[in-house]
Amino acid sequence: MISKSSLYHVVEAMAPLYVAMGLGYASVRFRAFTPEQCAGINHFVALFAMPLLIFRMISSNDPYAMNLRFIAADTIQKAAILAALALWARLSARGSLAWVVTLFSLATLPNTIIMGVPILRGMYGSMSGTLMVQIVVLQFAFWYVLVVFLFEYMAAQRALVAKQQQAAAPAAVVLTVLDGDQQINASAVVPVTEGDGDADTNTEAAMPPPPAEAEAAMAAPSAKLILLMAAKKILKIPSIHASMLGLVWSFIAYREGIKLPTIIDDSVAIISVSATGLATFSVGTFMAQQSRFISCGYSVASLAMAMRFLVGPAVMAASSLAVGLHGDLLHVGIVQAALPLAVISFVYAKEYNVHPEIMSTGVIVGTFASFPITIIYYILLGL
Amino acid sequence: MISKSSLYHVVEAMAPLYVAMGLGYASVRFRAFTPEQCAGINHFVALFAMPLLIFRMISSNDPYAMNLRFIAADTIQKAAILAALALWARLSARGSLAWVVTLFSLATLPNTIIMGVPILRGMYGSMSGTLMVQIVVLQFAFWYVLVVFLFEYMAAQRALVAKQQQAAAPAAVVLTVLDGDQQINASAVVPVTEGDGDADTNTEAAMPPPPAEAEAAMAAPSAKLILLMAAKKILKIPSIHASMLGLVWSFIAYREGIKLPTIIDDSVAIISVSATGLATFSVGTFMAQQSRFISCGYSVASLAMAMRFLVGPAVMAASSLAVGLHGDLLHVGIVQAALPLAVISFVYAKEYNVHPEIMSTGVIVGTFASFPITIIYYILLGL
């Protein structure tokens, strides 16, 4: 049974996140910040604060002392859901790769780093902070890479279809919108580059892909080409760089028994400490900028919420029990799986234009709903 | 004699600040951030991060345990410099109120809160952090209020002159730039409202002063009116609100023996921890956006540096010795007085258009110069 004082402790851990979010929301609603100014803060988070926080977390995590059972449970959960969705897509007429990626992200990719660490620490103490970092390592080293790969695959497929249509009939509409051959080629390969204040947009606009690749894309979206495109895309994501670098450093540091010099650690920390506050503030500004809270219809919104708050945690519970987790470890895994959706999932969905309205709803409604839901999970698991 | 290890400790404390600044500088130079995005970060600092940091610092400072001698030394330094400058302005033909305010800010208003706290703590331990807070209390409760008042006085004087000129000849130029009567009135009273990404600009643009006041300004810049204008201006500065609120709370809390509830303290902290990193990052973006490092001529730049790094610390040393300070307290006072110029001084100078190019130079060159100068002071004082 959870005591009142430990429940208040959890509310204490959650409240600052919602205060920062409320500040962001109010800032936009009361026009204290312009959309471009919000983009500046968001850009700072994506380019510096978040990568440095991820680096600091992962580099200070002992990779030789990871809880293999916990990691196995997390991996089984994600793999099982992905397999089930893939099977459904094959068997059902309504199934598609776009839905597989959307439902997979909804069910398995919560906001572990920003919300998970403080909330779970408030619930189960510092050991859960370490477990969150282990999940973050896998998220950035594997799962987000996979998601980006699948998005790239869909983009390449769509580019092929667009090329074929363009070859069949002169695409006057496309030509009026775009200017110059290079632009058209670029848009054929990466048709979804929107100026959405995202970290990579600038770099990408500055570097149209070389003609050789564009022609290859016209031919067919070969697995090799897609892999190449995905790799290029992934190498532009600062958080992925940071997690790789942190992982490599942690393997060296914990084998050799060395630490980052204080001067470097403090220089990283001066920026990384801003990540949690700025990221949640940024979620608030994001919410306030959306025209509607639920932009995808109520039935789809319900499906999204069910995937996030029921399917994800339920499969996590099953996989945790399957590998023999119990007690706090089991509880940490389940509550972690019931955190609100990661904002980065929306960012990708929007960038690749794959169900962005569902992901927006997932983030907004999920973040509001998670306050009571996380606490209910905590209470139920403590019975 | 300062040991090598304690010297390295100081470099350790200073390096992160310069790293964050360098990141800001590089972000603008490599076009990773647009000027408007930088304004967003700066605005976040001015509106939330800085005020909350100031509130947190001041509210957790025991006002009944202030070091009165230290405060007296700081107050005498500022008052003596102001008196000397006022005397010079009266006696010299080249003297003016604008120069008094500029030289006073240069000599007595260093970047205590952002650079002072970490650097002095690195040098003299945590007791110096407490002393910095005491200086910050006075800065925001009195000295910045005085500076804003003097700026308002000058603005009112200039408005009067402009009005008289306007009455003498139809001001066609003014009318083509501005639109509508209200705008002209507003510009007559506060002629310096530039859209410079500053915290108050939006609010101000949204609230033109009531006509009655505008007419009063046309008559003459009476002391009462100026006081009113200054008060209105000051009440729009979030950092001043925050320091007042923090001061009031600290008087209550330390008398009653109560503390802020953790849930409130953590909610403030989630944003306030970002202040140091974001503010120094913002200084870096500010530097990169200036067309020239030294925008006011070498002789004036030398004067500015002399005021900041020689006159300020020398007068502080004299006033400290006069009130009987010695040892670490004396050293803390002197090093504090030799910190780089506060960015807020530039913000006001630009907003009121009173020697902004000198203040810009003061911040940029001063920040670079302070790295060796602060260390030299530290070494000399340790001999």
Side-chain angles (χ1 to χ4, degrees):
Chain A
M1 188 66 191
I2 304 281
S3 70
K4 267 193 185 172
S5 80
S6 60
L7 199 62
Y8 180 68
H9 202 52
V10 171
V11 174
E12 264 183 357
M14 296 180 84
L17 300 168
Y18 285 86
V19 168
M21 220 177 281
L23 219 52
Y25 186 85
S27 293
V28 170
R29 283 287 144 140
F30 294 113
R31 291 163 200 277
F33 284 80
T34 66
E36 178 73 2
Q37 289 181 331
C38 294
I41 292 168
N42 200 37
H43 191 36
F44 183 86
V45 172
L47 198 57
F48 297 125
M50 199 69 177
L52 289 173
L53 177 65
I54 291 172
F55 171 79
R56 200 148 182 260
M57 277 190 175
I58 294 182
S59 68
S60 62
N61 169 59
D62 184 350
Y64 304 104
M66 306 257 273
N67 190 317
L68 294 180
R69 270 190 198 196
F70 189 76
I71 289 174
D74 180 67
T75 306
I76 291 169
Q77 179 227 26
K78 290 178 172 59
I81 289 175
L82 188 62
L85 287 169
L87 193 70
W88 163 77
R90 248 170 199 265
L91 299 180
S92 163
R94 295 178 65 192
S96 70
L97 188 53
W99 274 109
V100 171
V101 175
T102 300
L103 294 173
F104 174 74
S105 299
L106 279 168
T108 68
L109 295 171
N111 194 337
T112 310
I113 199 155
I114 293 296
M115 315 219 31
V117 174
I119 292 175
L120 271 290
R121 238 185 223 151
M123 288 177 172
Y124 302 103
S126 64
M127 73 92 182
S128 57
T130 318
L131 294 173
M132 289 306 102
V133 174
Q134 299 177 17
I135 286 183
V136 168
V137 170
L138 287 175
Q139 275 181 1
F140 281 92
F142 185 73
W143 296 106
Y144 281 120
V145 176
L146 178 69
V147 167
V148 171
F149 175 77
L150 293 175
F151 276 129
E152 281 295 330
Y153 181 81
M154 284 186 277
Q157 270 189 325
R158 281 197 283 179
L160 181 69
V161 172
K163 263 289 156 214
Q164 284 166 344
Q165 284 173 344
Q166 207 176 322
V173 181
V174 175
L175 286 169
T176 53
V177 177
L178 304 164
D179 51 328
D181 262 34
Q182 213 174 28
Q183 275 281 340
I184 293 175
N185 281 349
S187 86
V189 180
V190 189
V192 283
T193 322
E194 285 181 309
D196 60 356
D198 167 36
D200 335 347
T201 315
N202 291 334
T203 344
E204 196 150 57
M207 301 195 303
E213 281 172 40
E215 274 159 33
M218 286 173 217
S222 75
K224 197 180 162 191
L225 177 69
I226 293 165
L227 210 66
L228 200 75
M229 297 304 301
K232 279 183 75 171
K233 194 86 197 167
I234 286 158
L235 286 176
K236 281 185 206 152
I237 301 171
S239 293
I240 301 237
H241 286 196
S243 61
M244 295 300 172
L245 202 65
L247 199 59
V248 169
W249 172 256
S250 73
F251 271 109
I252 297 169
Y254 281 90
R255 195 186 53 201
E256 306 289 334
I258 50 176
K259 277 194 169 187
L260 268 186
T262 312
I263 200 164
I264 293 176
D265 194 45
D266 285 356
S267 297
V268 171
I270 196 174
I271 300 293
S272 74
V273 289
S274 69
T276 308
L278 284 182
T280 43
F281 180 90
S282 211
V283 172
T285 64
F286 161 76
M287 286 181 184
Q289 285 172 334
Q290 305 307 304
S291 49
R292 282 182 296 178
F293 264 31
I294 296 176
S295 49
C296 65
Y298 286 97
S299 59
V300 176
S302 309
L303 174 67
M305 290 304 106
M307 290 304 284
R308 180 86 294 274
F309 294 117
L310 292 177
V311 176
V315 178
M316 185 65 186
S319 63
S320 297
L321 291 170
V323 298
L325 288 182
H326 52 83
D328 274 0
L329 278 174
L330 175 68
H331 300 169
V332 167
I334 295 171
V335 174
Q336 188 275 143
L339 292 168
L341 185 63
V343 185
I344 198 171
S345 297
F346 163 76
V347 172
Y348 291 142
K350 188 172 175 203
E351 193 177 341
Y352 289 94
N353 201 22
V354 174
H355 299 143
E357 72 292 348
I358 300 177
M359 292 312 222
S360 158
T361 307
V363 170
I364 296 177
V365 181
T367 304
F368 278 110
S370 88
F371 196 97
I373 289 176
T374 307
I375 290 173
I376 289 169
Y377 265 109
Y378 179 59
I379 293 171
L380 290 179
L381 291 169
L383 288 179
Chain B
M1 187 68 192
I2 304 282
S3 69
K4 269 193 184 172
S5 81
S6 61
L7 199 61
Y8 181 68
H9 202 50
V10 171
V11 174
E12 264 183 357
M14 296 179 84
L17 300 169
Y18 285 85
V19 168
M21 221 177 281
L23 218 54
Y25 187 85
S27 293
V28 171
R29 283 287 145 138
F30 294 113
R31 291 162 200 278
F33 284 80
T34 67
E36 179 73 1
Q37 288 181 334
C38 294
I41 292 168
N42 200 38
H43 191 36
F44 183 87
V45 172
L47 198 58
F48 297 125
M50 199 69 177
L52 289 174
L53 177 64
I54 291 171
F55 171 79
R56 199 146 183 262
M57 276 190 176
I58 295 183
S59 68
S60 62
N61 168 59
D62 185 350
Y64 305 104
M66 306 257 274
N67 190 317
L68 294 181
R69 270 190 197 196
F70 189 77
I71 290 175
D74 181 66
T75 306
I76 291 170
Q77 178 228 23
K78 291 180 171 57
I81 290 175
L82 188 61
L85 288 170
L87 193 70
W88 162 77
R90 247 171 200 264
L91 300 180
S92 163
R94 297 178 65 190
S96 70
L97 187 54
W99 275 108
V100 171
V101 175
T102 300
L103 294 173
F104 174 75
S105 300
L106 279 169
T108 68
L109 295 172
N111 194 337
T112 311
I113 199 156
I114 293 297
M115 314 216 34
V117 174
I119 292 175
L120 273 288
R121 237 184 224 151
M123 289 176 171
Y124 302 103
S126 64
M127 73 91 183
S128 57
T130 318
L131 294 173
M132 291 304 101
V133 174
Q134 299 178 15
I135 286 183
V136 168
V137 170
L138 288 176
Q139 275 181 1
F140 282 92
F142 185 73
W143 296 107
Y144 280 121
V145 176
L146 178 69
V147 166
V148 170
F149 175 76
L150 293 176
F151 276 129
E152 280 296 329
Y153 181 80
M154 285 187 276
Q157 270 189 325
R158 281 197 282 182
L160 180 69
V161 173
K163 262 288 156 213
Q164 284 166 343
Q165 283 173 346
Q166 208 176 321
V173 181
V174 175
L175 286 168
T176 53
V177 176
L178 303 165
D179 51 329
D181 262 35
Q182 214 175 27
Q183 276 280 342
I184 292 174
N185 281 348
S187 86
V189 180
V190 190
V192 284
T193 321
E194 286 181 306
D196 60 356
D198 167 37
D200 335 346
T201 315
N202 291 333
T203 344
E204 197 151 56
M207 300 195 303
E213 281 172 39
E215 274 158 35
M218 285 172 218
S222 76
K224 197 178 160 190
L225 176 71
I226 293 166
L227 211 66
L228 200 77
M229 297 306 301
K232 279 183 73 171
K233 193 85 198 168
I234 286 157
L235 286 178
K236 281 185 205 152
I237 302 172
S239 293
I240 302 239
H241 287 195
S243 60
M244 297 298 173
L245 202 65
L247 198 60
V248 168
W249 173 255
S250 72
F251 272 108
I252 297 169
Y254 281 91
R255 195 185 54 203
E256 307 290 334
I258 51 176
K259 278 194 167 185
L260 270 185
T262 311
I263 200 164
I264 294 177
D265 194 45
D266 285 357
S267 297
V268 171
I270 196 174
I271 300 293
S272 75
V273 289
S274 70
T276 308
L278 284 181
T280 43
F281 180 89
S282 211
V283 172
T285 64
F286 161 75
M287 287 182 185
Q289 284 172 333
Q290 305 307 304
S291 49
R292 283 182 295 176
F293 263 33
I294 297 176
S295 49
C296 66
Y298 285 98
S299 59
V300 175
S302 309
L303 174 66
M305 289 304 106
M307 291 304 285
R308 181 85 296 273
F309 294 117
L310 292 176
V311 176
V315 178
M316 185 66 186
S319 64
S320 298
L321 291 170
V323 298
L325 288 182
H326 52 80
D328 274 1
L329 278 173
L330 174 68
H331 301 168
V332 167
I334 295 171
V335 174
Q336 188 275 143
L339 292 168
L341 185 64
V343 186
I344 197 170
S345 297
F346 164 76
V347 172
Y348 292 142
K350 188 172 176 200
E351 193 178 341
Y352 289 95
N353 200 24
V354 175
H355 299 145
E357 71 294 347
I358 300 177
M359 294 312 224
S360 156
T361 307
V363 170
I364 296 177
V365 181
T367 303
F368 278 110
S370 88
F371 197 96
I373 289 176
T374 308
I375 290 173
I376 289 169
Y377 266 108
Y378 179 58
I379 293 172
L380 290 179
L381 291 169
L383 287 180

